[in-house]
Amino acid sequence: MTALGILLVLVLVLVVFGLLFRLQILTSIFSGSSARELGTSNRVNAVLMLVFLVVGGAAFAWSFGDNYDKMNPPIASVHGHATERMFWTTMIVIGLVFVLTQVLLFFYSYKYQHQDGRRAYFFPHNNKIEIIWTVIPAIVMAALVFAGWKEWSRITGPAPKDAVVLEVMGKQFNWLVRYPGRDMKLGVVNYRLIDATNEFGFDLSDKSGLDDFVPGEIHVPKGHPVLLKIRSRDVLHAVYMPHFRVQMYAVPGMPTKFWFTPTKTTDEMRAQLGNPKFNYELACNQICGRGHFAMKFTIVVDEPDDYVAWFSQQKSFSEQNPDVLASFKQKEEKLVVKEAAAAVATPATKASL
C-alpha cells in the first residue's frame, strides 16, 4: 500500500510540473516573449544521435557474433540446409534494409538539426519515388514468400511411402509419443478414454492399436524419412527440433504434420561437437503454462540396423497394461451379450404385436 501511495504522489508531482511548464509557455506567448535561445543542447542531442548509431551498431554486431553458434546449431537433416539458406537470404535482405534505414535516420537527425534561419523544404509528392519504393519491395517480398511457400509445401506435404511414422502429442507439461507396431498402422484413439494410465486414449477395441507402443524416448533411423503426426491435448504447443530445423505447432483439435530425413546419428553429432553427453531434443518453444520449461523429450538418431533392433525390443501398450486390455475385453463381451439379447427379443416383440 505504501509503494502505491508513493507512486501516486510521484505521478501527481509530474502532472503538476507539466502544468506549470505549460503555464509558463502560455504566459510567454501572451507576453510576446516566447522566442528563446537554443543554446548548445540541440547540438549535443544531434551528436548523441551519431554516438548512439555507432555504439549501438557495434554492440549489436558484437552480440550477434558472440551468439551466432547458439542461434545456429549444426544441421542434421536433409531439408535443414534449404531452410537455412532461405532463412539467411531473408535475413540478409531485411538486414541490409534495416541498416540502411537506421543509418539514414540517425545521420539525418544530425545533419538536419535545427538552425536559425533554415526552414525545411516542403516535398508533398513524387510519383517516381512512390513507384520505386512500392514496386521494388513488392517484388523482393513476393520472391521471398514464393521461395518459402515452395519449401514449406514440400516438408509439410505427403511424406514418402516408406517413411517411419510416429505421433507426437503435447500436453501440459510433457510430450507423449507413440509408434505403430508391426502392422505399421496407428490405432484409433479417443479422448474420452484418457485417464492416468491410458494417457493417449487408446481404443483397444481397434485391432490396429493393439501393437502400438509408447517409448520413453524417440528413436529414428539415419537417412530414412520420418513423418511426425502432431496434435495437442490441451493448449497450443510447438514441436521444436532445432538440429533438424523442425518447428510445427501442436494445435488442439487440428492435427498437423511434418516430415524430415535425419543425416547424422547421435554418436556422429557427439563426435562432431566433442560432447559425449549431447542428445538431440524435442522441446516446446511456445509458452504454454507454468511448467513449460519441463517440456523436453530425448531424440536418438540410430544407424538403420540399430533402429530395427530397438524397434523389435519394444512392448506394446496393451502388453505393458494388461488390466486396460482386460477391461476393454470385458466391455466388448458385455456389448456382444447385450446385442445378442436385443436381437433375440426383437422377433418376440414383433410376434406379440
Side-chain angles (χ1 to χ4, degrees):
M1 190 65 182
T2 304
L4 180 60
I6 294 173
L7 180 62
L8 291 174
V9 170
L10 291 175
V11 171
L12 290 174
V13 169
L14 291 175
V15 171
V16 169
F17 275 114
L19 292 175
L20 289 175
F21 179 72
R22 183 171 178 79
L23 181 61
Q24 181 185 9
I25 294 176
L26 292 174
T27 303
S28 299
I29 292 174
F30 283 117
S31 64
S33 59
S34 60
R36 61 188 179 88
E37 295 294 331
L38 294 176
T40 59
S41 61
N42 191 65
R43 177 74 175 177
V44 170
N45 286 332
V47 172
L48 287 176
M49 288 286 187
L50 290 183
V51 172
F52 183 84
L53 172 64
V54 175
V55 175
F60 173 81
W62 171 82
S63 176
F64 182 84
D66 188 59
N67 292 280
Y68 180 83
D69 291 338
K70 297 177 183 177
M71 296 186 297
N72 296 273
I75 300 172
S77 67
V78 173
H79 82 274
H81 295 280
T83 303
E84 195 80 349
R85 286 193 299 271
M86 182 180 65
F87 173 79
W88 284 112
T89 299
T90 304
M91 288 297 292
I92 289 170
V93 171
I94 64 177
L96 291 174
V97 175
F98 173 79
V99 171
L100 177 63
T101 54
Q102 296 306 304
V103 169
L104 292 177
L105 173 65
F106 288 97
F107 175 71
Y108 282 178
S109 298
Y110 170 80
K111 183 178 181 180
Y112 297 107
Q113 61 186 280
H114 175 79
Q115 293 181 9
D116 292 334
R118 185 171 71 177
R119 296 181 63 84
Y121 174 69
F122 180 62
F123 195 79
H125 186 69
N126 185 296
N127 287 332
K128 185 176 181 180
I129 293 177
E130 292 284 349
I131 292 173
I132 290 174
W133 70 31
T134 300
V135 173
I136 293 179
I139 293 174
V140 173
M141 292 302 296
L144 292 176
V145 169
F146 177 76
W149 168 79
K150 185 177 179 181
E151 182 62 25
W152 182 253
S153 298
R154 187 178 71 84
I155 56 184
T156 59
K161 293 182 179 180
D162 62 340
V164 172
V165 179
L166 62 143
E167 184 176 57
V168 178
M169 183 170 71
K171 74 177 185 69
Q172 295 175 312
F173 293 100
N174 67 299
W175 295 103
L176 298 174
V177 176
R178 68 166 176 150
Y179 286 73
R182 295 185 179 182
D183 63 357
M184 296 302 169
K185 294 181 181 179
L186 288 170
V188 174
V189 291
N190 188 336
Y191 72 91
R192 295 185 178 89
L193 301 175
I194 292 175
D195 57 29
T197 303
N198 189 2
E199 291 191 287
F200 247 109
F202 282 101
D203 185 351
L204 297 180
S205 62
D206 176 25
K207 294 182 179 180
S208 297
L210 291 176
D211 59 352
D212 291 359
F213 63 91
V214 180
E217 57 187 18
I218 294 174
H219 280 250
V220 293
K222 171 187 172 182
H224 201 85
V226 178
L227 172 61
L228 303 177
K229 294 188 174 183
I230 302 166
R231 60 193 181 96
S232 171
R233 206 173 83 173
D234 38 44
V235 299
L236 185 71
H237 301 282
V239 172
Y240 180 50
M241 303 176 179
H243 292 85
F244 305 121
R245 298 305 190 266
V246 171
Q247 177 171 313
M248 174 61 76
Y249 287 121
V251 185
M254 188 179 78
T256 54
K257 63 179 180 178
F258 197 112
W259 73 271
F260 69 101
T261 303
T263 57
K264 296 178 183 178
T265 66
T266 298
D267 290 337
E268 288 173 341
M269 186 59 77
R270 286 174 178 173
Q272 178 179 334
L273 298 176
N275 180 9
K277 296 183 179 180
F278 168 83
N279 279 312
Y280 292 115
E281 184 179 83
L282 161 61
C284 175
N285 67 352
Q286 295 297 311
I287 300 178
C288 55
R290 295 178 63 182
H292 159 73
F293 66 92
M295 291 195 65
K296 297 180 180 180
F297 205 82
T298 300
I299 305 170
V300 179
V301 179
D302 295 314
E303 293 290 353
D305 292 341
D306 295 333
Y307 171 77
V308 172
W310 171 85
F311 188 91
S312 64
Q313 295 172 0
Q314 302 307 303
K315 291 185 178 181
S316 68
F317 175 80
S318 58
E319 290 175 328
Q320 292 180 329
N321 299 273
D323 294 341
V324 177
L325 181 59
S327 175
F328 265 94
K329 287 183 177 179
Q330 289 178 0
K331 290 179 181 178
E332 283 187 331
E333 290 174 358
K334 290 180 180 179
L335 181 61
V336 170
V337 171
K338 186 176 180 180
E339 290 177 348
V344 171
T346 300
T349 303
K350 288 181 178 179
S352 64
L353 292 175

